[in-house]
Amino acid sequence: MMIKCLARFFSIFILFLWPTYAFGQEIRYMCYDTVECAAFTKLMPKFNEKHPDIKVKIDIVPFKAIRETLPVQLAAGEGPDMAALTDLSGLNEYYLDLRPYIDNQYWQKSFGRILDWYRDGEGDDRGIYGLHTQLTLTGAYINKTLFQQANVPIPVLGSSWDEWARASKKVASLTDTYYPMALDRSGHRFMGPVIAYGAQVFDGDKVILVDDAFAAYTDKFVSWFENGIMAREIWAVGGTTYKDARREFVNGEVVFYFSGSWQVKPFDAAIGGAFDWVVVGSPCGAGGCTGMPGGTGLVGFKQTKHPEAVAKFINFFAQEDIYQQLISITQNIPAHKAVAEKGVDYGGMSDTASRALEAWTGEVLKISPIAFRLQGYKYSQALFDIVAKRITQAVVGELSVEQAMMRCKSDLAKALANMN
Amino acid sequence: MSTMSKTKVFFLFSAVMRLVEFPFRLFLKCFGMRNVAWFFLAPNLIFFGIFSLLPVILNIAYSLTGGSEILLNDRTYIGADNFSDLLQCEDYMDPNSCKEDLFWRSLSNTTIFVFLQVGMMVGFALITALILNRKIVARGFFRSVFFFPVMLSPVVVALIWKWILQRNGLLNAGIEYFGYEKILWLLERNWAFFWSVFVSVWMHMGFYALIILAGLQAIPKDVYEAARMDAARPFVIFRRITLPLLMPTMTVVMLLALIKGVQTFDEVYALTGGGPGTTTTFIIQYIYETGFAGSPRLLGLAAAVSLLLACALIILTTIQFIVKKRSANG
């Protein structure tokens, strides 16, 4: 009697609280890059034509949601069916292996070693998890007009950081420009120059991060802030906040700006004919003239109720003709070998932007193996966060360079101990 | 209304009432009249249990674990290691000598911030309340003006001040107009700290001024009249009458401001991001970044700091409770 009574009592509440489920093959894609999200939306009718039974909902979210909310959702078994992300191997444990649903040989041939960036990095993981929707590369832009106005010769390709710093400082003082140089506040951006300076980052299978070359570049980097060469506004912030100098460069307040290939489209739109800008790639050092590769990947997640639909969606955009169109809209460097070899028709783009993209494509050949390995390193995000945090402290004078190096080492040891 | 419509409304009303009554009747049938209080307490108890008690228990559990996994089941039990890591220091006055230097930096920043913010806040709130208590022109308007920032979202406040303080902001435009060089208000360590305190005081002062104003108005007028008849000067009246009679209110204000100051996060985070470096990183931001924003997510360490902070806040609240009780007892 009592049990019956209780059952009736609680069934009333359950009736009210019971969630409503949507039926059918609807999959959700969490997207953060507005340009790329728009490109996917534009190409969606083509996908729907081929797969009318699959409905894809694109949720545009801030990048912070991808970095902070998505991992928590996935750990709780929730979250979207697919997402675009930049921490490529960091969330590997949640990825859907696409191999049962796709032509493995085609993917291997088209994306080659980039597929490693999505893998676990340990053991014998041969899974295919993500479509690299844009290959990016870090490197520098200069405001060519300022060099012309100052009548200072542009350093030749292959020049060192010191040569660029001297030239930029001269241009800035002659043209009354606010900052000679700027470098995005991000560990990823910082690591390119460090590797070019000769840092090894790895010692065999072990990540060491700090070595003499790393410390030497940091020392130089900090001194540039003290001498007013680097833009203080970009690095003198707190926490792990990412900050770029796009606005400053667009406003003609920076002579030399170290950022990456993804800036081409925004620069083309915002600068227009206001001044001439060119890509000069990465300054050189003992470790070559490398930047850091990177980019965004589209991955599916294991917990999806429609793995086949997710794989079909990702595979559709990996096909040469569709991928070509996607890259043409987003105006990025293609990661697809055949598309890269044939070249992309970036219709509607200015000559300056076309030349910039050509220059970036050429820079891909200069990527150091260390930089390539670091991008695929499972805990690279932790390493980048440590670098950004501790180098900032050295920049603002809270720590000496020596102390910052020691903290980088101890933070790395702590992070690895917690993640392994 | 026609009789027909009245009848329809009546039937509808009875149907709704029966529907509402049904779970209550069922409860009475199952548990009897003696337990009826639980029926009314249950929603609150369930709500409190799920959203207050359970997180506290989870927080304690997390603080005893290590690793970067998110779910408690997957995490490793490490005992009090998080607490010992936090408290491991060669010299407590030098954060660089501590194992968790960022924790000590944020703790030291919070202490200085609270000390300055509470001092300035209470001082300015008192002056504002004293002025607003006088018969000045447009008194109601000025009361609203001072209270207005309290109603704004902290992020909105921070953005407004960011527009004023950034390199090409309003303040620097004014400075340049008078021929001086721009100052990077939010990028120089001392200035960034000063503006964090200032903006926080500006935002919250109206609330505390209002409490003090209520306290001022509760002081009997005849005491002032007697003092004036004795030819007491205004400053003497303030020191000998206003201040002592206002003390219970001032204590409450001070303690409330103290607790709020320790919890400061949103407006400063939106204004400076905790920078330059860690200059304006306070304890709540440290917890947020350790547990959620950085990689790896050290939830155990963040939970341990939360517990330490909770202990500090419990001590402050207890003091407030005792002081309130004493002042109520006269």
Side-chain angles (χ1 to χ4, degrees), chain B residues 114-171:
Chain B
V114 167
F115 182 75
L116 291 175
Q117 192 236 28
V118 173
M120 282 168 75
M121 181 108 73
V122 174
F124 285 122
L126 177 64
I127 294 167
T128 311
L130 285 170
I131 294 168
L132 294 177
N133 196 35
R134 296 170 77 93
K135 281 180 186 158
I136 54 169
V137 182
R139 189 165 63 165
F141 170 75
F142 283 114
R143 281 179 185 177
S144 310
V145 165
F146 280 102
F147 194 72
F148 187 66
V150 179
M151 294 189 293
L152 292 175
S153 145
V155 177
V156 172
V157 168
L159 286 178
I160 292 169
W161 279 98
K162 221 172 176 175
W163 288 335
I164 296 169
L165 300 171
Q166 63 192 8
R167 178 162 56 88
N168 294 321
L170 274 175
L171 191 55

Side-chain angles (χ1 to χ4, degrees), chain B residues 6 11 21 51 116 119 127 209:
Chain B
K6 272 183 186 168
F11 276 115
E21 212 181 57
F51 295 106
L116 291 175
I127 294 167

Side-chain angles (χ1 to χ4, degrees), chain A residues 5 67-68 233 398 407, chain B residues 30 96 167 278 288 297:
Chain A
C5 236
R67 263 205 75 176
E68 292 172 19
E233 258 170 295
E398 281 179 2
R407 286 291 175 186
Chain B
C30 293
N96 281 337
R167 178 162 56 88
T278 57
Y288 164 67
R297 291 177 181 80

Side-chain angles (χ1 to χ4, degrees), chain A residues 356-409:
Chain A
L357 276 170
E358 258 173 52
W360 282 120
T361 311
E363 287 290 309
V364 173
L365 302 169
K366 297 179 190 167
I367 300 173
S368 133
I370 299 170
F372 199 90
R373 187 178 170 192
L374 178 59
Q375 179 57 29
Y377 178 57
K378 195 177 179 186
Y379 306 126
S380 59
Q381 192 57 55
L383 193 142
F384 296 149
D385 283 356
I386 290 166
V387 168
K389 206 160 52 183
R390 294 305 185 178
I391 302 300
T392 299
Q393 283 189 283
V395 165
V396 301
E398 281 179 2
L399 296 178
S400 65
V401 171
E402 200 182 327
Q403 285 171 326
M405 295 301 101
M406 277 167 62
R407 286 291 175 186
C408 279
K409 280 184 195 171

Side-chain angles (χ1 to χ4, degrees), chain B residues 80-115:
Chain B
D81 284 6
N82 284 323
F83 294 96
S84 66
D85 281 355
L86 283 171
L87 302 174
Q88 200 177 314
C89 258
E90 279 170 29
D91 174 6
Y92 285 100
M93 300 310 285
D94 175 18
N96 281 337
S97 71
C98 301
K99 190 170 180 190
E100 292 300 331
D101 64 323
L102 298 177
F103 166 69
W104 287 96
R105 279 183 191 280
S106 60
L107 189 68
S108 132
N109 291 341
T110 309
T111 311
I112 299 168
F113 175 84
V114 167
F115 182 75

